[in-house]
Amino acid sequence: MQTATATSVLVVDDEPQVVWMLRFSLEAEGYRTLEARDGRAALEEIRQRRPDLVLLDVMMPVMDGWSVLEELQVLPEEERPRVVVVSARASLRDRAKAAELGADAFVAKPFNVEDLLDVLRTLDRPA
């Protein structure tokens, strides 16, 4: 998979087993991975490392995923990573809120890894 080799993905989740599983799966597909355990750490990683894609949980300590999405709106569009919200909060209202706040996709937990990778492949295209 040629395009994924250069693609960096920031995994943002407060559950260590979810982070591990996502990093393992992504790295097996050739993605470079970064991680953050809360929203504030995620924003710092985004500012410093500029990942191409972000997998963002909603329910986290310190700063939740909704707040992260709001903060990302302040960045110039060319500096914003593409964001996939990955959350157990998957009601129509939550999905609509994610879209309103600029998320590029939404994947409900629990998820199938192959389905999540398909979503990433769709978003991992040249700008």
Side-chain angles (χ1 to χ4, degrees):
M1 171 181 241
Q2 201 165 8
T3 57
T5 306
T7 302
S8 59
V9 180
L10 174 61
V11 177
V12 186
D13 201 302
D14 60 324
E15 295 179 41
Q17 64 275 24
V18 172
V19 173
W20 180 88
M21 186 269 304
L22 285 171
R23 289 191 75 168
F24 179 84
S25 300
L26 292 167
E27 288 170 5
E29 290 294 312
Y31 291 94
R32 288 185 301 118
T33 61
L34 307 164
E35 70 179 72
R37 299 297 172 100
D38 63 65
R40 191 161 288 139
L43 289 172
E44 191 62 31
E45 285 289 317
I46 291 166
R47 287 186 186 103
Q48 289 184 2
R49 314 279 282 290
R50 298 248 179 119
D52 301 302
L53 299 165
V54 176
L55 296 180
L56 180 65
D57 187 22
V58 171
M59 298 180 292
M60 296 181 292
V62 184
M63 177 186 274
D64 68 16
W66 302 133
S67 299
V68 172
L69 286 169
E70 288 171 355
E71 290 287 326
L72 289 177
Q73 293 303 309
V74 198
L75 294 175
E77 192 170 336
E78 65 275 3
E79 292 180 22
R80 267 184 248 150
R82 305 194 80 166
V83 178
V84 178
V85 171
V86 182
S87 179
R89 293 188 58 160
S91 70
L92 288 176
R93 178 176 284 143
D94 290 315
R95 291 170 185 269
K97 183 173 184 177
E100 287 170 21
L101 292 174
D104 296 283
F106 192 105
V107 175
K109 286 181 181 177
F111 55 86
N112 175 296
V113 174
E114 277 305 314
D115 293 342
L116 179 64
L117 289 170
D118 287 344
V119 170
L120 288 180
R121 288 181 194 111
T122 301
L123 295 176
D124 182 22
R125 52 181 153 51

